[in-house]
Amino acid sequence: MTKYRTAGVSPALTTKTKKSGRDARGPNTGPHKQWHSRGYLPHCDVPGLIQFVTFRLADALPAAVLEGLRLEAGTDTDQHTKIDAFLDAGHGACWLKQPAIADLVEDTLLHGDGARYRLLAWCVMPNHVHVLFEIHDGSPLSAILQAWKSFSAKAINQYLGRSGSVWMPDYFDRYIRDDHHLAAMIEYIHTNPVKAGLVQHASEWVHSSASIR
């Protein structure tokens, strides 16, 4: 498994270059780490499988609430719509709204970009994360998610001076069927902060690939 930087490194010192001009460095890398997919126009005819995933903080969607939403929903689409609305309402501690913690999560995603996978789009919301990426051969989806969550959980707990669960153990995933589906998912990811009422324009949400395109 790829060795990440030690959790003792301050998240505030490991941010990527954005419109603010902040330094860009990821786990165990030098400065000026770039988003490898910038300028890359993705299509579904690429060799690897393109996956959309969402993972959320442990307290963002309590089990009892999730079960209630499932019972209320008549279809899978209704269920996902209700879950999205609940998450966007900002339930739980919402640690990811702290810039240093959101930077840490972004650095974690960027670390494997171009090696284990190719990032196409992402957005770090206050209590959940959306990622769209092309998986490279030899990098199972479950292993990638485990690495992201394991490293970031340790660093987040250290930053907050706490212990215990950070992320829900499960995650939502969906593979991309065609170019139309791909474009729709990128739009969905980038406009999530707008839909949640956090900003007026997608590019204004700093912790998203929409802000550095």
Side-chain angles (χ1 to χ4, degrees), residues 99-117:
I101 294 180
D103 285 340
L104 186 153
V105 173
E106 285 188 291
D107 286 343
T108 302
L109 300 177
L110 282 162
H111 175 57
D113 180 34
R116 303 181 65 196
Y117 47 82

mmCIF file with all atom_site columns, all heavy atoms in Angstrom, residues 99-117:
data_model
loop_
_atom_site.group_PDB
_atom_site.id
_atom_site.type_symbol
_atom_site.label_atom_id
_atom_site.label_alt_id
_atom_site.label_comp_id
_atom_site.label_asym_id
_atom_site.label_entity_id
_atom_site.label_seq_id
_atom_site.pdbx_PDB_ins_code
_atom_site.Cartn_x
_atom_site.Cartn_y
_atom_site.Cartn_z
_atom_site.occupancy
_atom_site.B_iso_or_equiv
_atom_site.pdbx_formal_charge
_atom_site.auth_seq_id
_atom_site.auth_comp_id
_atom_site.auth_asym_id
_atom_site.auth_atom_id
_atom_site.pdbx_PDB_model_num
ATOM 1   N N   . PRO A 1 99  ? -11.586 24.791 6.881   1.00 0.00 ? 99  PRO A N   1
ATOM 2   C CA  . PRO A 1 99  ? -10.685 24.807 5.722   1.00 0.00 ? 99  PRO A CA  1
ATOM 3   C C   . PRO A 1 99  ? -9.490  23.867 5.842   1.00 0.00 ? 99  PRO A C   1
ATOM 4   O O   . PRO A 1 99  ? -9.133  23.182 4.875   1.00 0.00 ? 99  PRO A O   1
ATOM 5   C CB  . PRO A 1 99  ? -10.232 26.267 5.654   1.00 0.00 ? 99  PRO A CB  1
ATOM 6   C CG  . PRO A 1 99  ? -11.377 27.029 6.242   1.00 0.00 ? 99  PRO A CG  1
ATOM 7   C CD  . PRO A 1 99  ? -11.886 26.161 7.362   1.00 0.00 ? 99  PRO A CD  1
ATOM 8   N N   . ALA A 1 100 ? -8.859  23.793 7.011   1.00 0.00 ? 100 ALA A N   1
ATOM 9   C CA  . ALA A 1 100 ? -7.684  22.946 7.168   1.00 0.00 ? 100 ALA A CA  1
ATOM 10  C C   . ALA A 1 100 ? -8.033  21.475 6.986   1.00 0.00 ? 100 ALA A C   1
ATOM 11  O O   . ALA A 1 100 ? -7.262  20.701 6.400   1.00 0.00 ? 100 ALA A O   1
ATOM 12  C CB  . ALA A 1 100 ? -7.043  23.159 8.542   1.00 0.00 ? 100 ALA A CB  1
ATOM 13  N N   . ILE A 1 101 ? -9.196  21.060 7.472   1.00 0.00 ? 101 ILE A N   1
ATOM 14  C CA  . ILE A 1 101 ? -9.606  19.663 7.338   1.00 0.00 ? 101 ILE A CA  1
ATOM 15  C C   . ILE A 1 101 ? -10.026 19.364 5.906   1.00 0.00 ? 101 ILE A C   1
ATOM 16  O O   . ILE A 1 101 ? -9.700  18.306 5.358   1.00 0.00 ? 101 ILE A O   1
ATOM 17  C CB  . ILE A 1 101 ? -10.732 19.337 8.332   1.00 0.00 ? 101 ILE A CB  1
ATOM 18  C CG1 . ILE A 1 101 ? -10.201 19.434 9.769   1.00 0.00 ? 101 ILE A CG1 1
ATOM 19  C CG2 . ILE A 1 101 ? -11.316 17.959 8.065   1.00 0.00 ? 101 ILE A CG2 1
ATOM 20  C CD1 . ILE A 1 101 ? -11.232 19.141 10.838  1.00 0.00 ? 101 ILE A CD1 1
ATOM 21  N N   . ALA A 1 102 ? -10.735 20.294 5.268   1.00 0.00 ? 102 ALA A N   1
ATOM 22  C CA  . ALA A 1 102 ? -11.103 20.104 3.863   1.00 0.00 ? 102 ALA A CA  1
ATOM 23  C C   . ALA A 1 102 ? -9.853  20.030 2.991   1.00 0.00 ? 102 ALA A C   1
ATOM 24  O O   . ALA A 1 102 ? -9.779  19.216 2.065   1.00 0.00 ? 102 ALA A O   1
ATOM 25  C CB  . ALA A 1 102 ? -12.007 21.242 3.403   1.00 0.00 ? 102 ALA A CB  1
ATOM 26  N N   . ASP A 1 103 ? -8.842  20.850 3.293   1.00 0.00 ? 103 ASP A N   1
ATOM 27  C CA  . ASP A 1 103 ? -7.573  20.792 2.559   1.00 0.00 ? 103 ASP A CA  1
ATOM 28  C C   . ASP A 1 103 ? -6.925  19.422 2.714   1.00 0.00 ? 103 ASP A C   1
ATOM 29  O O   . ASP A 1 103 ? -6.385  18.859 1.752   1.00 0.00 ? 103 ASP A O   1
ATOM 30  C CB  . ASP A 1 103 ? -6.602  21.858 3.076   1.00 0.00 ? 103 ASP A CB  1
ATOM 31  C CG  . ASP A 1 103 ? -6.952  23.261 2.599   1.00 0.00 ? 103 ASP A CG  1
ATOM 32  O OD1 . ASP A 1 103 ? -7.681  23.381 1.594   1.00 0.00 ? 103 ASP A OD1 1
ATOM 33  O OD2 . ASP A 1 103 ? -6.494  24.230 3.231   1.00 0.00 ? 103 ASP A OD2 1
ATOM 34  N N   . LEU A 1 104 ? -6.965  18.892 3.919   1.00 0.00 ? 104 LEU A N   1
ATOM 35  C CA  . LEU A 1 104 ? -6.367  17.588 4.192   1.00 0.00 ? 104 LEU A CA  1
ATOM 36  C C   . LEU A 1 104 ? -7.032  16.501 3.349   1.00 0.00 ? 104 LEU A C   1
ATOM 37  O O   . LEU A 1 104 ? -6.361  15.642 2.781   1.00 0.00 ? 104 LEU A O   1
ATOM 38  C CB  . LEU A 1 104 ? -6.494  17.280 5.683   1.00 0.00 ? 104 LEU A CB  1
ATOM 39  C CG  . LEU A 1 104 ? -5.816  16.031 6.218   1.00 0.00 ? 104 LEU A CG  1
ATOM 40  C CD1 . LEU A 1 104 ? -5.468  16.236 7.688   1.00 0.00 ? 104 LEU A CD1 1
ATOM 41  C CD2 . LEU A 1 104 ? -6.721  14.803 6.086   1.00 0.00 ? 104 LEU A CD2 1
ATOM 42  N N   . VAL A 1 105 ? -8.361  16.543 3.276   1.00 0.00 ? 105 VAL A N   1
ATOM 43  C CA  . VAL A 1 105 ? -9.083  15.547 2.479   1.00 0.00 ? 105 VAL A CA  1
ATOM 44  C C   . VAL A 1 105 ? -8.733  15.689 1.006   1.00 0.00 ? 105 VAL A C   1
ATOM 45  O O   . VAL A 1 105 ? -8.495  14.698 0.308   1.00 0.00 ? 105 VAL A O   1
ATOM 46  C CB  . VAL A 1 105 ? -10.599 15.683 2.699   1.00 0.00 ? 105 VAL A CB  1
ATOM 47  C CG1 . VAL A 1 105 ? -11.366 14.765 1.741   1.00 0.00 ? 105 VAL A CG1 1
ATOM 48  C CG2 . VAL A 1 105 ? -10.966 15.347 4.146   1.00 0.00 ? 105 VAL A CG2 1
ATOM 49  N N   . GLU A 1 106 ? -8.657  16.916 0.506   1.00 0.00 ? 106 GLU A N   1
ATOM 50  C CA  . GLU A 1 106 ? -8.291  17.133 -0.892  1.00 0.00 ? 106 GLU A CA  1
ATOM 51  C C   . GLU A 1 106 ? -6.882  16.628 -1.175  1.00 0.00 ? 106 GLU A C   1
ATOM 52  O O   . GLU A 1 106 ? -6.631  16.009 -2.218  1.00 0.00 ? 106 GLU A O   1
ATOM 53  C CB  . GLU A 1 106 ? -8.395  18.609 -1.246  1.00 0.00 ? 106 GLU A CB  1
ATOM 54  C CG  . GLU A 1 106 ? -9.813  19.102 -1.416  1.00 0.00 ? 106 GLU A CG  1
ATOM 55  C CD  . GLU A 1 106 ? -9.856  20.509 -1.950  1.00 0.00 ? 106 GLU A CD  1
ATOM 56  O OE1 . GLU A 1 106 ? -9.463  21.433 -1.215  1.00 0.00 ? 106 GLU A OE1 1
ATOM 57  O OE2 . GLU A 1 106 ? -10.274 20.702 -3.097  1.00 0.00 ? 106 GLU A OE2 1
ATOM 58  N N   . ASP A 1 107 ? -5.958  16.885 -0.276  1.00 0.00 ? 107 ASP A N   1
ATOM 59  C CA  . ASP A 1 107 ? -4.584  16.392 -0.446  1.00 0.00 ? 107 ASP A CA  1
ATOM 60  C C   . ASP A 1 107 ? -4.556  14.874 -0.530  1.00 0.00 ? 107 ASP A C   1
ATOM 61  O O   . ASP A 1 107 ? -3.794  14.288 -1.297  1.00 0.00 ? 107 ASP A O   1
ATOM 62  C CB  . ASP A 1 107 ? -3.703  16.849 0.731   1.00 0.00 ? 107 ASP A CB  1
ATOM 63  C CG  . ASP A 1 107 ? -3.346  18.325 0.658   1.00 0.00 ? 107 ASP A CG  1
ATOM 64  O OD1 . ASP A 1 107 ? -3.482  18.913 -0.427  1.00 0.00 ? 107 ASP A OD1 1
ATOM 65  O OD2 . ASP A 1 107 ? -2.945  18.885 1.689   1.00 0.00 ? 107 ASP A OD2 1
ATOM 66  N N   . THR A 1 108 ? -5.386  14.234 0.277   1.00 0.00 ? 108 THR A N   1
ATOM 67  C CA  . THR A 1 108 ? -5.461  12.779 0.265   1.00 0.00 ? 108 THR A CA  1
ATOM 68  C C   . THR A 1 108 ? -5.943  12.277 -1.097  1.00 0.00 ? 108 THR A C   1
ATOM 69  O O   . THR A 1 108 ? -5.388  11.318 -1.650  1.00 0.00 ? 108 THR A O   1
ATOM 70  C CB  . THR A 1 108 ? -6.407  12.285 1.378   1.00 0.00 ? 108 THR A CB  1
ATOM 71  O OG1 . THR A 1 108 ? -5.941  12.748 2.647   1.00 0.00 ? 108 THR A OG1 1
ATOM 72  C CG2 . THR A 1 108 ? -6.475  10.762 1.399   1.00 0.00 ? 108 THR A CG2 1
ATOM 73  N N   . LEU A 1 109 ? -6.957  12.914 -1.649  1.00 0.00 ? 109 LEU A N   1
ATOM 74  C CA  . LEU A 1 109 ? -7.462  12.526 -2.962  1.00 0.00 ? 109 LEU A CA  1
ATOM 75  C C   . LEU A 1 109 ? -6.403  12.751 -4.046  1.00 0.00 ? 109 LEU A C   1
ATOM 76  O O   . LEU A 1 109 ? -6.209  11.913 -4.932  1.00 0.00 ? 109 LEU A O   1
ATOM 77  C CB  . LEU A 1 109 ? -8.716  13.336 -3.306  1.00 0.00 ? 109 LEU A CB  1
ATOM 78  C CG  . LEU A 1 109 ? -9.920  13.213 -2.374  1.00 0.00 ? 109 LEU A CG  1
ATOM 79  C CD1 . LEU A 1 109 ? -11.036 14.141 -2.847  1.00 0.00 ? 109 LEU A CD1 1
ATOM 80  C CD2 . LEU A 1 109 ? -10.416 11.781 -2.296  1.00 0.00 ? 109 LEU A CD2 1
ATOM 81  N N   . LEU A 1 110 ? -5.721  13.870 -3.972  1.00 0.00 ? 110 LEU A N   1
ATOM 82  C CA  . LEU A 1 110 ? -4.740  14.236 -4.994  1.00 0.00 ? 110 LEU A CA  1
ATOM 83  C C   . LEU A 1 110 ? -3.485  13.376 -4.960  1.00 0.00 ? 110 LEU A C   1
ATOM 84  O O   . LEU A 1 110 ? -2.795  13.244 -5.968  1.00 0.00 ? 110 LEU A O   1
ATOM 85  C CB  . LEU A 1 110 ? -4.351  15.711 -4.822  1.00 0.00 ? 110 LEU A CB  1
ATOM 86  C CG  . LEU A 1 110 ? -5.375  16.712 -5.352  1.00 0.00 ? 110 LEU A CG  1
ATOM 87  C CD1 . LEU A 1 110 ? -5.121  18.091 -4.761  1.00 0.00 ? 110 LEU A CD1 1
ATOM 88  C CD2 . LEU A 1 110 ? -5.302  16.771 -6.872  1.00 0.00 ? 110 LEU A CD2 1
ATOM 89  N N   . HIS A 1 111 ? -3.210  12.783 -3.817  1.00 0.00 ? 111 HIS A N   1
ATOM 90  C CA  . HIS A 1 111 ? -1.967  12.025 -3.669  1.00 0.00 ? 111 HIS A CA  1
ATOM 91  C C   . HIS A 1 111 ? -1.835  10.903 -4.698  1.00 0.00 ? 111 HIS A C   1
ATOM 92  O O   . HIS A 1 111 ? -0.769  10.688 -5.266  1.00 0.00 ? 111 HIS A O   1
ATOM 93  C CB  . HIS A 1 111 ? -1.876  11.444 -2.257  1.00 0.00 ? 111 HIS A CB  1
ATOM 94  C CG  . HIS A 1 111 ? -0.686  10.561 -2.059  1.00 0.00 ? 111 HIS A CG  1
ATOM 95  N ND1 . HIS A 1 111 ? 0.605   10.999 -2.270  1.00 0.00 ? 111 HIS A ND1 1
ATOM 96  C CD2 . HIS A 1 111 ? -0.586  9.260  -1.682  1.00 0.00 ? 111 HIS A CD2 1
ATOM 97  C CE1 . HIS A 1 111 ? 1.449   10.007 -2.032  1.00 0.00 ? 111 HIS A CE1 1
ATOM 98  N NE2 . HIS A 1 111 ? 0.746   8.937  -1.675  1.00 0.00 ? 111 HIS A NE2 1
ATOM 99  N N   . GLY A 1 112 ? -2.900  10.166 -4.955  1.00 0.00 ? 112 GLY A N   1
ATOM 100 C CA  . GLY A 1 112 ? -2.816  9.044  -5.883  1.00 0.00 ? 112 GLY A CA  1
ATOM 101 C C   . GLY A 1 112 ? -3.197  9.386  -7.303  1.00 0.00 ? 112 GLY A C   1
ATOM 102 O O   . GLY A 1 112 ? -3.176  8.526  -8.184  1.00 0.00 ? 112 GLY A O   1
ATOM 103 N N   . ASP A 1 113 ? -3.535  10.662 -7.566  1.00 0.00 ? 113 ASP A N   1
ATOM 104 C CA  . ASP A 1 113 ? -3.974  11.072 -8.897  1.00 0.00 ? 113 ASP A CA  1
ATOM 105 C C   . ASP A 1 113 ? -2.839  10.897 -9.905  1.00 0.00 ? 113 ASP A C   1
ATOM 106 O O   . ASP A 1 113 ? -1.734  11.386 -9.713  1.00 0.00 ? 113 ASP A O   1
ATOM 107 C CB  . ASP A 1 113 ? -4.422  12.533 -8.848  1.00 0.00 ? 113 ASP A CB  1
ATOM 108 C CG  . ASP A 1 113 ? -4.901  13.054 -10.193 1.00 0.00 ? 113 ASP A CG  1
ATOM 109 O OD1 . ASP A 1 113 ? -5.498  12.278 -10.965 1.00 0.00 ? 113 ASP A OD1 1
ATOM 110 O OD2 . ASP A 1 113 ? -4.666  14.248 -10.463 1.00 0.00 ? 113 ASP A OD2 1
ATOM 111 N N   . GLY A 1 114 ? -3.138  10.178 -10.986 1.00 0.00 ? 114 GLY A N   1
ATOM 112 C CA  . GLY A 1 114 ? -2.144  9.945  -12.020 1.00 0.00 ? 114 GLY A CA  1
ATOM 113 C C   . GLY A 1 114 ? -1.364  8.670  -11.826 1.00 0.00 ? 114 GLY A C   1
ATOM 114 O O   . GLY A 1 114 ? -0.654  8.237  -12.738 1.00 0.00 ? 114 GLY A O   1
ATOM 115 N N   . ALA A 1 115 ? -1.502  8.037  -10.669 1.00 0.00 ? 115 ALA A N   1
ATOM 116 C CA  . ALA A 1 115 ? -0.782  6.792  -10.388 1.00 0.00 ? 115 ALA A CA  1
ATOM 117 C C   . ALA A 1 115 ? -1.761  5.645  -10.187 1.00 0.00 ? 115 ALA A C   1
ATOM 118 O O   . ALA A 1 115 ? -1.848  4.728  -10.998 1.00 0.00 ? 115 ALA A O   1
ATOM 119 C CB  . ALA A 1 115 ? 0.111   6.965  -9.157  1.00 0.00 ? 115 ALA A CB  1
ATOM 120 N N   . ARG A 1 116 ? -2.534  5.705  -9.123  1.00 0.00 ? 116 ARG A N   1
ATOM 121 C CA  . ARG A 1 116 ? -3.499  4.643  -8.823  1.00 0.00 ? 116 ARG A CA  1
ATOM 122 C C   . ARG A 1 116 ? -4.837  4.894  -9.504  1.00 0.00 ? 116 ARG A C   1
ATOM 123 O O   . ARG A 1 116 ? -5.629  3.981  -9.696  1.00 0.00 ? 116 ARG A O   1
ATOM 124 C CB  . ARG A 1 116 ? -3.700  4.531  -7.323  1.00 0.00 ? 116 ARG A CB  1
ATOM 125 C CG  . ARG A 1 116 ? -2.415  4.272  -6.543  1.00 0.00 ? 116 ARG A CG  1
ATOM 126 C CD  . ARG A 1 116 ? -2.685  4.157  -5.072  1.00 0.00 ? 116 ARG A CD  1
ATOM 127 N NE  . ARG A 1 116 ? -3.504  2.988  -4.773  1.00 0.00 ? 116 ARG A NE  1
ATOM 128 C CZ  . ARG A 1 116 ? -4.139  2.815  -3.630  1.00 0.00 ? 116 ARG A CZ  1
ATOM 129 N NH1 . ARG A 1 116 ? -4.089  3.751  -2.696  1.00 0.00 ? 116 ARG A NH1 1
ATOM 130 N NH2 . ARG A 1 116 ? -4.842  1.730  -3.421  1.00 0.00 ? 116 ARG A NH2 1
ATOM 131 N N   . TYR A 1 117 ? -5.108  6.159  -9.848  1.00 0.00 ? 117 TYR A N   1
ATOM 132 C CA  . TYR A 1 117 ? -6.368  6.540  -10.470 1.00 0.00 ? 117 TYR A CA  1
ATOM 133 C C   . TYR A 1 117 ? -6.187  7.920  -11.088 1.00 0.00 ? 117 TYR A C   1
ATOM 134 O O   . TYR A 1 117 ? -5.168  8.592  -10.871 1.00 0.00 ? 117 TYR A O   1
ATOM 135 C CB  . TYR A 1 117 ? -7.505  6.582  -9.437  1.00 0.00 ? 117 TYR A CB  1
ATOM 136 C CG  . TYR A 1 117 ? -7.142  7.327  -8.176  1.00 0.00 ? 117 TYR A CG  1
ATOM 137 C CD1 . TYR A 1 117 ? -7.210  8.724  -8.104  1.00 0.00 ? 117 TYR A CD1 1
ATOM 138 C CD2 . TYR A 1 117 ? -6.694  6.649  -7.047  1.00 0.00 ? 117 TYR A CD2 1
ATOM 139 C CE1 . TYR A 1 117 ? -6.859  9.412  -6.962  1.00 0.00 ? 117 TYR A CE1 1
ATOM 140 C CE2 . TYR A 1 117 ? -6.340  7.330  -5.886  1.00 0.00 ? 117 TYR A CE2 1
ATOM 141 C CZ  . TYR A 1 117 ? -6.416  8.698  -5.848  1.00 0.00 ? 117 TYR A CZ  1
ATOM 142 O OH  . TYR A 1 117 ? -6.056  9.377  -4.714  1.00 0.00 ? 117 TYR A OH  1
#
